[in-house]
Amino acid sequence: MNKKVMVVGGGIAGLSAALELSQKNIQVELVEKSCFLGGKAIGFTCKATDKCQQCGACLVEEVLRDVVGQSNINIHLRTEIDSVVKNGKFKVKLKKSDSIPKEDKVLTGFSKYNSPYKVVIGTPQDSKDGVNIDELGTQGELDVDAIIIATGFTPFDPTARATYGYGTWENVITALELENMLRSEVKVIKPSNKQRAKKIGFIQCVGSRNKEFNSVWCSEVCCPYALRMASMIKYRYPDTEIWIFFIDIQNVGKNYLSFLEQINSEVKFVTATPIDIFPDKEDKVRVAYKDDIEDKRILEPFDLVVLSVGIMPNEDNKVLSKMINIDLSEDGFFREIDLMEPNLTSQEGIFLAGTTTGPKDILNTISHAKSAVCETLTYLGGKK
Amino acid sequence: MIEININPDVLVIGGGMAGIMAAQRIRKQGYSLSILDQGQGFEPDACYKMESSSYYSQTIEELKKDPSITWIKEAQISKVEGRYGDFKVYFKSGTKVEKKNFGAVVIATPYSYVPVFDEYGVEPDHNIFSVNHLSKLLSENKAPKGTCVFLTTFKEETNPVSFKNIILNAIELGNSGSNVYIFVKNVKAASPGLEKLILHAKENGIVIIKSDKPPQLIVENKCPNVIFYDPLIKKDIQISADYVIIEDKIIPNEKNQEISDLFGIHTDSNGFLQTNNVRRIPVFTNRKGIFVVGSAAGIKPLPYILTDAIDASCEIQGLIKEGGKVEIEETISIDQEKCVRCLTCYRVCPHGAIYWDVDRVAISSLVCEGCGICSAECPMNAIQIKEYSDDKIKGQLKDILKSKGDGPTIIGFCCKNSAFEAVKGAKDLGVDLPEGFKVIKVPCAGKIDVDYVLEALVKGADGVIIGACYKDNCKSEKGNIFASYRIENLKKSLAQIGINPNRVELLHVASNMPREFCLKLKELTEKITDITS
């Protein structure tokens, strides 16, 4: 099949879709806005204890390596879509993205076109082997037969929850940052003094299930990642004390019952939504919450507080949706044409993959991306 | 090159939501298929009935008109032979047995249910019944009216699929004028659109009461009373219910074990037909050409049943293509001169690639995943994987140890799916691997023969490290387990003959954790260096 498909987004959804297409001998144009492939998930840590906890983080690395090794995938990093015109095929205008990665937040996979996969710690400019950021970015027009939208999500910005002090208090971090920390440092560090954090508090549902923030959905991934990280930290550093503040615990994995039994013996669960977080004189962060049973306010000190931020629609969705003429749902995610058609859109030839349609974990994202490819192939096969 | 014939017909097992969805998608790919119902009938799974029974009925009507579909009703499978490309399945209906051939099989057995009456110490009655029974009443326009209390399972906690179904039933009860209460430990919202639905239910007057402990259900004069402790006002509260509706706990289909035995498919600890292993995502089983969809694999929200169905149809397309003859390369071979027909290989193969062919053991290169567990376990060394033959691995060992430097040399046999990737990652990152650490790539830790380790030690290696995947992450399910028991035994033998057993170690690692692997590696190599210096 002499066809070309554009995949927009180089996270786990886009990578899975690109790999699947390339294995079916379809030429792929993989467009990624940032300077890196792998999206959010490439920074996630393995959460194995003495056994695998089925988070799927390892699969992201493997898919990424495979994608970079394929000769029929053209990778356009630091590239955005400027316009899309449909005339049987799609004429897509690409432009160099203005977005530059934030300093010190870069830990992920890196590659230019089909050069060997390169991991760069630090900013690309710092690395002797990395590609200069200014060299990245594709300008120009491409004709493609179909488009897969795999632009993923934007994590909830916890500064919106002002009393939690994210960005103000050093020892309040997001769960994404904890994932990255565990992957690169292999232990949990208290940012203020670089010592190991011995008492950690997780706060669930930061941004999710919240009418006030207009996010009336469960992000589905936060209980699994928080509980799995908690369990993994306890396994490696049994002297760590972990508390989890929650509204409702969601099921984690297929063996939820035995997992729950185990995690209940390892961490302290508190049914409460903390009101306030602030540091004290001993370099601890205090979490203020109301104990409903005792009916009093409690100030619990922690070395580190981890905010389990939820999955929000990608902030670029509005612009992109206008460009490709596909409606967003009232929540701001891309909308499937029908509940029973998980990958189809109102535009023939444009398909959806991954968290662009709503919260999904790594495994469901891979599965969704594969079905998007299947639908794309069916479309290409039927199209003369 | 070997020539193999691929049958283009597909078997779908299960007439529930997953089975029908899979059938529809496979037909869309153009394959003829048979749909087997093992007695549960062709109807949507009870837990999805409220959500989308119209979708099911539309789909099945459409499929019924399709002449390329054979419907096998109320039959059982009595025997399965063959492999991907050519499965021979024997169907038994009454005393009649019929054989059919298929190129691929999709297992989509529907859920079974157990209402949790026991948990509340009650028997079903006219005013105490299960959610599935309620759905039936609602569909017949026989909605009970009055105060209705839903009791979910507290012992095992509910799940988003059951909970969504309860909410949908509750909303309908509420709409017909009943007062509705739902007792639950944790509200399960982790399913597309469910949080909104819960909010909608609450706005429509449905009361969801969260509690750590299950409420008490006391039946007096046939009247059920639900008593629970309210922590806010620190008092017991009693609700006199007209109807108590008990959750139907979703369990794996009771036929799953039988199917697992017939097809040689591994189950998870609950009894679903896909192991709890990310390597099987989304629809794979331990056997090539056999796929699991939706309710056969685990408890899944409806949209994921659909993606499973699409994924399975796509995988089938990739495997079967147009059917007919295909040529494949021989990747694994048995030396019939050495083979003593002990059938060890047959027993250990996780992929069903080894079979008895008239008077000898045969291996299908088409089905073989190349893990090499058989090759390492074979007591006669009769099985060789072409890419990783004993000669090739021992040759690598020889080369490494020939150019041995002054410092200690440690051989790392690294699984290509985890440790070997981690080593590559470390190199990319510029993280230093311990000096003298030399890597030999293996297809799976299960390929690492004790002979390799011994040979390494004999030829002058100071230590041997085996890099394996974590438990439940092995592509061949048990390769890492075989490796760890071999190493355990080897360590005992080494101690007996006076060699320090700590010169051999097994490390579990994930492919994406190069730094962690290097840290552990460093620790171990230091230990080994201390022993040998």
Side-chain angles (χ1 to χ4, degrees), chain A residues 40-91:
Chain A
K40 318 264 181 326
I42 192 68
F44 294 173
T45 181
C46 166
K47 299 174 191 69
T49 54
D50 60 333
K51 57 175 189 260
C52 172
Q53 296 206 67
Q54 315 303 333
C55 75
C58 55
L59 303 178
V60 185
E61 174 101 1
E62 288 166 31
V63 175
L64 172 56
R65 280 174 181 273
D66 287 346
V67 162
V68 178
Q70 298 294 327
S71 59
N72 57 353
I73 302 179
N74 279 330
I75 301 167
H76 307 275
L77 292 172
R78 204 192 164 185
T79 302
E80 281 177 57
I81 293 189
D82 198 22
S83 68
V84 180
V85 179
K86 193 177 180 184
N87 54 352
K89 284 188 171 193
F90 295 93
K91 197 174 264 309

Side-chain angles (χ1 to χ4, degrees), chain A residues 65 247 251 254-255 331, chain B residues 188 196 210 269 274 421:
Chain A
R65 280 174 181 273
I247 304 173
N251 298 12
K254 278 176 105 184
N255 289 334
D331 296 331
Chain B
K188 301 296 176 182
K196 277 217 176 81
K210 280 178 35 171
S269 59
Q274 188 182 44
E421 288 293 318

